[in-house]
Amino acid sequence: MSSTQTTPAAEFDGGDMDCGSGLLLAITTRMRGIDEGQVLLLHTSEPSVLADLPAWAHLAGHELLQVADHGDGAGPWDLSVRRGRPRQRSEPVDTVEYSAGAPAPLGTRLWLYSNFHCNLACTYCCASSSPRADPRLMSVAVAAAAAAEFAAQGGRELLVTGGEPFLHPQIGDLLAVTSAYVPVTVLTNAMVFERGRRRAALESLDRDTVTLQVSLDSASPGLHDRQRGAGSHTKAVAGIRLVRQLGFRVRVAATYAAHEAADAGNLDQTLAELGIDPDDRLIRPVAKEGHADSGVVVSIDTVEPEPTLTADGAWWHPVAVTNPQLKVADAPLPLSHVLDVMRDVVAVQEQAGAQGRAVFRCT
């Protein structure tokens, strides 16, 4: 290790974060913000970083210059890391073929949170959405710019979620402009577009480029209403029938914990009666994020990366937008920066022989 003293170009206080709980993502983001040869100064009070960060630096092509101990062996510590040359990658995304349950290669799928307020307050909502949530609206201009950049670099699938997207006052415009670049799937509870301007926005959408994915957690109201609110099951079913009548492709997603499977009833039979194709039915686990106090633990080591943009940043995965440790960038654009940071992290994971990431399917 060199004893060279170099003025840092950037600093980051990692506190007690370890490399498995978000520090790797945070420092990779900041490395992307400095030039080759410049130095990042990391402050940490977590002892495991002393062992893990040198391995990360080596795999990522960076150089650990110095470790300074400010606690006589007990920390905290300052680590100086010089950025190396970015690693080259290949495998263009336009050769990818999808299969059911397979991970979407990084760069082929993009999520947009159109907003965060919702007419429901689901008990397991990963985004902490509710009628009282800050809307945090994504502008039509930002959504359009993201879709254009995504399509230009080979993106194939854009997903718009919330909150409830149809509460966004310009949802029709947002979906029209994004679906002009790439096919779009909108995740909705199907409860708010029966009439008025939201109905008009719905009917204006291109059936060839826009798919609706509706949440329905059980065959009968019991489980669904317990998780989403009294009367919501009846309204969701009515919404499914409406969008089917309007000629949209409709997907249906159920979310529940493993021990609640019996409460879901014969959901396949209900969906068959509603005309939902078997390939358009999905059952998702609960993620331990947002409002949920139990469920699947989400980290960069346990789920495949699915870049997700909100009005105020970019995130590793759509179920983790309330988790500061999985924030990739403080701004949604440029998308190229977001993808570069995520690819750097994945490259290090792959070189280290990381195993066990799961496909947490949201669509």
Side-chain angles (χ1 to χ4, degrees):
M1 184 186 306
S2 170
S3 62
T4 303
Q5 297 289 332
T6 305
T7 301
E11 294 187 40
F12 177 67
D13 186 353
D16 60 359
M17 297 169 64
D18 60 37
C19 289
S21 66
L23 182 63
L24 175 58
L25 184 58
I27 59 178
T28 300
T29 299
R30 284 150 184 85
M31 276 301 205
R32 274 280 167 185
I34 64 177
D35 294 331
E36 180 183 344
Q38 291 186 321
V39 172
L40 172 70
L41 179 61
L42 170 66
H43 307 286
T44 181
S45 59
E46 169 53 48
S48 67
V49 173
L50 301 183
D52 293 342
L53 190 124
W56 166 81
H58 174 72
L59 291 167
H62 307 313
E63 180 185 3
L64 179 60
L65 298 177
Q66 185 179 36
V67 177
D69 183 356
H70 299 291
D72 195 24
W77 300 271
D78 289 341
L79 293 85
S80 299
V81 185
R82 176 181 288 137
R83 181 177 178 181
R85 184 179 300 276
R87 297 184 181 277
Q88 301 298 312
R89 302 174 186 86
S90 56
E91 190 180 356
V93 297
D94 61 0
T95 63
V96 174
E97 291 187 9
Y98 294 100
S99 59
L106 190 55
T108 63
R109 174 181 289 173
L110 177 67
W111 289 82
L112 303 181
Y113 267 77
S114 58
N115 60 294
F116 281 83
H117 62 316
C118 187
N119 55 305
L120 300 177
C122 301
T123 58
Y124 55 72
C125 180
C126 64
S128 295
S129 294
S130 75
R132 296 178 299 278
D134 181 353
R136 294 163 61 191
L137 299 175
M138 175 172 284
S139 71
V140 173
V142 168
E149 187 179 352
F150 179 56
Q153 61 88 52
R156 290 189 168 191
E157 184 182 12
L158 184 68
L159 302 110
V160 176
T161 188
E164 168 50 51
F166 281 90
L167 294 185
H168 191 298
Q170 295 177 289
I171 191 60
D173 294 337
L174 188 151
L175 295 176
V177 71
T178 53
S179 63
Y181 289 103
V182 65
V184 172
T185 297
V186 190
L187 281 67
T188 175
N189 57 47
M191 295 174 61
V192 300
F193 48 49
E194 182 180 359
R195 59 178 65 88
R197 61 180 178 81
R198 294 171 187 151
R199 173 67 175 264
L202 174 66
E203 293 195 13
S204 71
L205 301 177
D206 186 344
R207 278 50 163 185
D208 292 330
T209 57
V210 176
T211 296
L212 298 178
Q213 178 171 303
V214 180
S215 299
L216 189 71
D217 295 338
S218 55
S220 58
L223 174 62
H224 183 99
D225 283 7
R226 187 164 72 242
Q227 298 188 141
R228 295 175 175 270
S232 58
H233 184 277
T234 298
K235 293 180 179 178
V237 170
I240 292 172
R241 290 196 172 105
L242 171 61
V243 290
R244 288 264 301 148
Q245 291 169 3
L246 291 176
F248 287 97
R249 178 187 175 188
V250 181
R251 309 186 73 215
V252 174
T255 304
Y256 49 76
H259 69 273
E260 297 171 313
D263 294 339
N266 194 342
L267 188 55
D268 273 335
Q269 179 179 333
T270 297
L271 297 182
E273 293 169 355
L274 289 170
I276 307 302
D277 189 274
D279 290 338
D280 287 328
R281 307 172 194 171
L282 171 67
I283 297 175
R284 305 175 296 192
V286 174
K288 191 179 180 182
E289 296 287 342
H291 286 158
D293 56 11
S294 63
V296 176
V297 176
V298 176
S299 76
I300 61 173
D301 292 322
T302 62
V303 294
E304 293 287 341
E306 295 196 19
T308 303
L309 308 183
T310 74
D312 48 11
W315 309 81
W316 183 263
H317 195 279
V319 302
V321 292
T322 62
N323 188 338
Q325 294 181 347
L326 292 179
K327 193 172 189 179
V328 177
D330 291 330
L333 298 174
L335 179 60
S336 58
H337 168 71
V338 174
L339 292 174
D340 281 342
V341 169
M342 297 179 76
R343 284 171 177 141
D344 281 353
V345 173
V346 170
V348 172
Q349 290 174 323
E350 290 175 345
Q351 291 175 62
Q355 300 292 327
R357 278 206 309 257
V359 181
F360 194 113
R361 291 192 60 200
C362 286
T363 64

